[in-house]
Amino acid sequence: MPERDLVSWNSMMDGYVKSGQVEAARELFKEMPQRDLFSWTVMIDGYSKCGMIEAARQYFDRMPVRNVVSWNAMIDGYMKCRDCLSARRLFDEMPERNIVTWSSMVSGYEYNRRFMDALEIFQEMLKAGLVPNGAALVGALSAVSGLGLLDKGRWIHSYMRSNGIKIEGVLGTSLIDMYSKCGSIENALEVFQAIPRRRLGHWTAIIVGLGMHGMADQALNIFAEMQRKRINPHAITFIGILNACSHVGLVNEGRRYFEMMRSEYGMTPTAEHYGCLVDLLCRAGHLEEAKDVIEKMPMKSNEIIWMSLLSGCRSHGNVEIGEYAAKRAIELAPDATGCYVLLSNIYAAAGQWDNVSLLRGIMKERGLRKDPGCSSVEHGGMVHSFVVGDRSHPQTEDIYSKLNEIRERLKCAGYIPDTRQVLLYVEDKEKEVELAHHSERLAIAFGLINTEPGKTIQVVKNLRVCNDCHLVTKLLSDIYDREIIEEAPSKLKDPNTPKYAPTTFFLFMLQRIVA
């Protein structure tokens, strides 16, 4: 170019940054005869997106004048680098904020799994009189999903309706996902049916939700409707289908859908699809076949898939394959506590107490500790959490009094404790006491005390619910005429996700599909 103006220089810099060539942009920046706010902000944004937040901060500190866009770029960069503290500090220092600033904070906290912080900043945003944009609403709904706060999710949905916000695109997907993860599949179906122009993300979200709730027939029917409408499924759609088959033991159907991916849609199954197939086979007791599937996978298996086989061995009492799976899982993730715990449980269930002691000794030597079971219930805008035998809650006396009542009513219903679920070398009487004080029973007792008769009680647990507590929950639902929803973590969760939070993996992928 014989002549270059500021727009020319900025356009070149912006192009380099967008293609990931930040160093090339930096060289241009150094050569520029003059710079404006856009020039500085492009460099800040480029370094932030590359994870080089310190370099971005240097440019930010050197800026002669800053505008709201440059502040927003730094906040977004800190959130992407998981430095929420620095992002919040900048947010508090900002002389002026716009809707992008607030939505970046909500989305950033959600991205970092700080769900309560995301909801608190969302509330602050509303109090400031701002109408949230789509990004803020999606972030808030995803945070609600992470915490399982159904009432809060319903309130956000009501806010959207009263403010005339259209529920379609990513927002529709987020709402379906939120209601599914918060235990209200009926509301998820209502949202799905009300969307006038459904996109692939909406179909996939409802299939995933129905599968999550064990409603395989409905999930497969909706998939068949997709096929009739000639809507080609996404790879995530098949994860939802395979999970639906897994939850209700539809082994042959699961195998058929797995093959359908390749034969009818030309998709190459990923590790996640193989993981779903392994989980399906393990739940149904086909452990040898599951082991064979893992060993013949075209890609290297990860520890999550071996953990799935290990979990299946725990459920079906197979020591030999359990040891094999544990060895492979520990090779891939030597510090993953769950591998040791599951193998220890397999040994305990088989009465091999010497091996249990040996394994616990190894865990102690390596500084590994089992995560305690924790169950939570939302009430009065707060999350009330309990661990086994917990006596720290202000209503402890009332809760244990309710537990005594529950014990008597369970006896009248013919309940016999399944002491096999307590993997401790103690007398049966002590095992019964241990079962009676499991965290989910404390949470249910709290819910029965503090909520109106007939209201749904939703319990979110960081670990899988034991078979005995699952049976008790079903009995209590009948005895007290309450719907009781149990939520446990997904096998496909991000390893960085806190143990108490349901995965946001599906929502992340579905948002990409819709976009």
Side-chain angles (χ1 to χ4, degrees), residues 71-256:
W71 285 85
N72 289 346
M74 274 308 303
I75 286 173
D76 185 61
Y78 275 126
M79 285 298 191
K80 291 285 196 310
C81 292
R82 302 193 180 280
D83 186 354
C84 299
L85 192 63
S86 295
R88 180 69 204 218
R89 194 177 295 124
L90 279 183
F91 177 80
D92 291 337
E93 291 172 3
M94 283 182 77
E96 177 192 355
R97 300 168 186 149
N98 62 11
I99 191 69
V100 176
T101 315
W102 288 91
S103 64
S104 293
M105 289 297 294
V106 175
S107 302
Y109 276 132
E110 188 278 329
Y111 173 78
N112 286 282
R113 308 295 191 261
R114 293 180 57 169
F115 300 127
M116 285 305 299
D117 289 326
L119 291 178
E120 283 171 10
I121 203 82
F122 181 75
Q123 293 283 13
E124 284 182 43
M125 180 183 182
L126 297 181
K127 285 177 184 173
L130 293 167
V131 176
N133 60 10
L137 286 166
V138 167
L141 287 168
S142 187
V144 168
S145 300
L147 293 168
L149 304 180
L150 181 58
D151 287 344
K152 184 71 74 177
R154 282 180 172 148
W155 184 87
I156 294 173
H157 187 188
S158 174
Y159 173 87
M160 290 165 65
R161 279 189 302 230
S162 61
N163 284 273
I165 297 169
K166 288 185 178 179
I167 299 168
E168 52 190 17
V170 178
L171 275 177
T173 303
S174 300
L175 268 174
I176 294 167
D177 182 79
M178 180 275 292
Y179 277 126
S180 298
K181 286 179 179 170
C182 290
S184 181
I185 192 64
E186 296 83 4
N187 286 129
L189 281 164
E190 285 173 11
V191 171
F192 175 75
Q193 297 294 349
I195 295 172
R197 295 177 61 191
R198 298 179 200 129
R199 300 183 187 179
L200 176 56
H202 305 133
W203 291 90
T204 300
I206 196 63
I207 287 171
V208 168
L210 289 165
M212 194 187 301
H213 284 261
M215 300 169 72
D217 288 343
Q218 292 93 322
L220 299 185
N221 287 339
I222 285 181
F223 181 73
E225 189 181 345
M226 271 184 74
Q227 290 180 305
R228 287 193 296 272
K229 291 180 180 291
R230 300 183 183 280
I231 299 170
N232 285 332
H234 189 273
I236 302 298
T237 316
F238 278 102
I239 288 179
I241 288 292
L242 291 169
N243 274 332
C245 293
S246 180
H247 280 298
V248 294
L250 298 176
V251 178
N252 291 332
E253 288 83 349
R255 291 190 188 109
R256 183 169 66 84

Side-chain angles (χ1 to χ4, degrees), residues 339-398:
C339 304
Y340 301 89
V341 172
L342 278 172
L343 184 57
S344 175
N345 290 348
I346 291 170
Y347 285 143
Q352 298 181 16
W353 296 106
D354 288 344
N355 284 336
V356 172
S357 298
L358 180 65
L359 208 54
R360 288 179 180 170
I362 292 170
M363 288 180 67
K364 188 174 181 181
E365 188 180 295
R366 296 186 179 181
L368 303 174
R369 295 184 63 186
K370 176 183 180 292
D371 294 317
C374 177
S375 297
S376 303
V377 174
E378 179 195 7
H379 175 67
M382 294 176 62
V383 177
H384 301 261
S385 299
F386 304 88
V387 294
V388 62
D390 202 333
R391 290 185 176 272
S392 62
H393 196 276
Q395 289 181 263
T396 289
E397 192 174 328
D398 293 335

Side-chain angles (χ1 to χ4, degrees), residues 222-455:
I222 285 181
F223 181 73
E225 189 181 345
M226 271 184 74
Q227 290 180 305
R228 287 193 296 272
K229 291 180 180 291
R230 300 183 183 280
I231 299 170
N232 285 332
H234 189 273
I236 302 298
T237 316
F238 278 102
I239 288 179
I241 288 292
L242 291 169
N243 274 332
C245 293
S246 180
H247 280 298
V248 294
L250 298 176
V251 178
N252 291 332
E253 288 83 349
R255 291 190 188 109
R256 183 169 66 84
Y257 284 110
F258 187 83
E259 287 305 317
M260 183 188 291
M261 288 182 65
R262 291 185 281 213
S263 60
E264 292 190 28
Y265 295 100
M267 294 182 187
T268 302
T270 65
E272 286 79 15
H273 296 105
Y274 278 99
C276 291
L277 180 61
V278 168
D279 185 57
L280 166 66
L281 295 169
C282 288
R283 284 174 185 258
H286 301 290
L287 301 176
E288 285 285 356
E289 185 183 350
K291 176 172 168 280
D292 193 49
V293 167
I294 296 173
E295 290 176 337
K296 291 180 179 176
M297 283 171 57
M299 71 286 292
K300 186 178 178 182
S301 177
N302 57 39
E303 73 274 12
I304 296 172
I305 294 176
W306 285 114
M307 284 283 286
S308 185
L309 179 58
L310 184 57
S311 181
C313 293
R314 160 72 182 92
S315 300
H316 296 281
N318 192 311
V319 177
E320 183 182 351
I321 297 179
E323 288 177 329
Y324 179 84
K327 182 182 177 184
R328 297 295 182 277
I330 289 168
E331 284 173 356
L332 293 167
D335 295 330
T337 311
C339 304
Y340 301 89
V341 172
L342 278 172
L343 184 57
S344 175
N345 290 348
I346 291 170
Y347 285 143
Q352 298 181 16
W353 296 106
D354 288 344
N355 284 336
V356 172
S357 298
L358 180 65
L359 208 54
R360 288 179 180 170
I362 292 170
M363 288 180 67
K364 188 174 181 181
E365 188 180 295
R366 296 186 179 181
L368 303 174
R369 295 184 63 186
K370 176 183 180 292
D371 294 317
C374 177
S375 297
S376 303
V377 174
E378 179 195 7
H379 175 67
M382 294 176 62
V383 177
H384 301 261
S385 299
F386 304 88
V387 294
V388 62
D390 202 333
R391 290 185 176 272
S392 62
H393 196 276
Q395 289 181 263
T396 289
E397 192 174 328
D398 293 335
I399 290 168
Y400 276 84
S401 175
K402 194 69 175 179
L403 283 177
N404 291 332
E405 177 196 310
I406 285 171
R407 194 178 299 116
E408 292 304 315
R409 297 192 69 170
L410 285 170
K411 279 182 185 177
C412 294
Y415 160 71
I416 299 172
D418 182 3
T419 53
R420 293 173 302 172
Q421 302 300 313
V422 181
L423 301 172
L424 299 171
Y425 197 30
V426 295
E427 296 294 328
D428 277 357
K429 207 68 183 170
E430 293 176 73
K431 290 183 178 182
E432 289 182 21
V433 172
E434 175 83 7
L435 283 171
H437 295 163
H438 271 191
S439 63
E440 49 267 66
R441 302 198 197 185
L442 293 166
I444 291 170
F446 172 83
L448 290 170
I449 292 167
N450 290 283
T451 58
E452 307 84 36
K455 186 170 182 181

